[in-house]
Amino acid sequence: MRIDKLLSNMGFGSRKEVKKHLKGGGTVVNGETVKDPKFQVDPEKDTVIVHGEEVTYKEFVYLMMNKPPGVLSATEDTEGETVIDLLEMEDQIFNPFPVGRLDKETEGLLLITNDGQLSHQLLSPKKHVPKTYFSIIDGEVTEEDVKAFAEGVTLDDGYETKPGELEIISSGMRSEINLTITEGKFHQVKRMFESVGKRVIYLKRISMGPLPLDETLELGEYRELTDEEVEELKDYKQE
Ligand code: URA
């Protein structure tokens, strides 16, 4: 790959800016100063140093965020803050996007990547990737609800959901539950509870496929996935 493309992809500016910067002589490849923007580098093998600092090239970035409430899972919004606004510049330069959406008030696990293929694979309805939500419900969640969800419920627009696995953690005037679903219809968890006459008052995603939310992340914090986590996601097949 051309050195100007590599540097530009790594956030050193536009191709034009990078060209100027190369002219200045601060870029060293395998010990030699490189000024030619067309100079070919192998990002896997060559050592690229810019102003004394090694540049590690990567094409993709994979981030796990504990999404805070009040922030949109979109890339751009003229009105409000988005999850992308919460990223450091060194991550924003990869132009990542959220894998699917959580509602504005929903918290929890959100993957953010620029790997379109992985995102597609995780969101494709054919793959049935399970997503588990912890929720506080206004009202008493019962074994009837567990049965109804296991069979699939009818949403307000007539859509019949796939079976969902509802686990009651505590039941009372307010109940706490975990719900695992394999689809991602608009407001699905809220609408599934509405179909049995109950209201979601708090919602947090706690896992997606093989990946649990890293509970050490505070709301709004994020971290890169480990290589193992990325591999697990790529290899994930629903049993
Ligand atoms: N279901 C919802 O209702 N909201 C979300 O954010 C995710 C799933």
Side-chain angles (χ1 to χ4, degrees):
M1 129 186 257
R2 285 172 59 139
I3 185 74
D4 59 348
K5 180 160 194 267
L6 181 143
L7 293 180
S8 183
N9 285 359
M10 294 307 293
F12 287 90
S14 65
R15 293 284 266 273
K16 211 166 149 196
E17 284 161 342
V18 165
K19 199 170 161 185
K20 236 193 203 162
H21 163 91
L22 284 164
K23 260 195 181 162
T27 302
V28 176
V29 180
N30 303 331
E32 303 279 337
T33 299
V34 169
K35 294 190 175 183
D36 178 5
K38 291 201 217 86
F39 188 88
Q40 289 286 325
V41 283
D42 179 342
E44 302 284 325
K45 295 197 190 116
D46 295 330
T47 311
V48 181
I49 293 175
V50 177
H51 293 309
E53 289 219 21
E54 187 166 346
V55 176
T56 323
Y57 182 75
K58 56 182 177 184
E59 187 178 2
F60 295 121
V61 70
Y62 301 94
L63 309 169
M64 174 198 299
M65 178 181 282
N66 185 3
K67 180 192 169 297
V71 174
L72 293 151
S73 29
T75 44
E76 272 166 47
D77 193 89
T78 44
E79 313 270 298
E81 197 177 26
T82 72
V83 290
I84 303 300
D85 296 329
L86 300 179
L87 303 182
E88 303 282 346
M89 223 6 110
E90 65 188 50
D91 297 309
Q92 287 197 21
I93 59 168
F94 289 95
N95 293 324
F97 50 84
V99 177
R101 279 173 184 251
L102 289 177
D103 296 337
K104 189 172 176 187
E105 293 315 315
T106 303
E107 299 177 7
L109 174 61
L110 186 65
L111 290 177
I112 300 174
T113 183
N114 57 348
D115 184 342
Q117 198 182 335
L118 180 66
S119 170
H120 178 76
Q121 197 179 311
L122 292 171
L123 296 177
S124 163
K126 284 188 216 126
K127 302 273 178 181
H128 311 296
V129 174
K131 283 143 289 208
T132 302
Y133 296 86
F134 166 78
S135 180
I136 302 175
I137 308 296
D138 185 12
E140 190 180 345
V141 179
T142 63
E143 287 303 321
E144 315 274 87
D145 299 327
V146 174
K147 273 197 210 115
F149 281 21
E151 280 161 20
V153 290
T154 309
L155 302 184
D156 48 7
D157 58 359
Y159 178 77
E160 303 261 349
T161 71
K162 299 240 157 45
E165 196 183 321
L166 176 59
E167 180 202 347
I168 301 173
I169 301 168
S170 68
S171 181
M173 296 250 289
R174 273 191 177 186
S175 306
E176 292 189 354
I177 62 94
N178 283 334
L179 174 61
T180 302
I181 53 175
T182 56
E183 307 169 279
K185 298 283 169 214
F186 182 64
H187 292 334
Q188 182 154 345
V189 175
K190 290 176 191 153
R191 289 162 73 212
M192 284 177 81
F193 276 99
E194 273 162 26
S195 80
V196 292
K198 280 150 218 181
R199 193 167 65 90
V200 166
I201 47 184
Y202 173 82
L203 190 59
K204 173 184 179 181
R205 183 155 64 194
I206 55 173
S207 73
M208 186 165 188
L211 202 68
L213 173 66
D214 179 342
E215 295 281 353
T216 66
L217 294 171
E218 301 279 345
L219 287 171
E221 279 186 352
Y222 70 96
R223 67 160 171 84
E224 270 198 71
L225 295 186
T226 62
D227 292 346
E228 290 74 32
E229 287 171 330
V230 174
E231 285 317 306
E232 270 187 79
L233 278 177
K234 287 184 179 168
D235 294 344
Y236 185 72
K237 304 246 171 1
Q238 170 70 310
E239 284 99 44

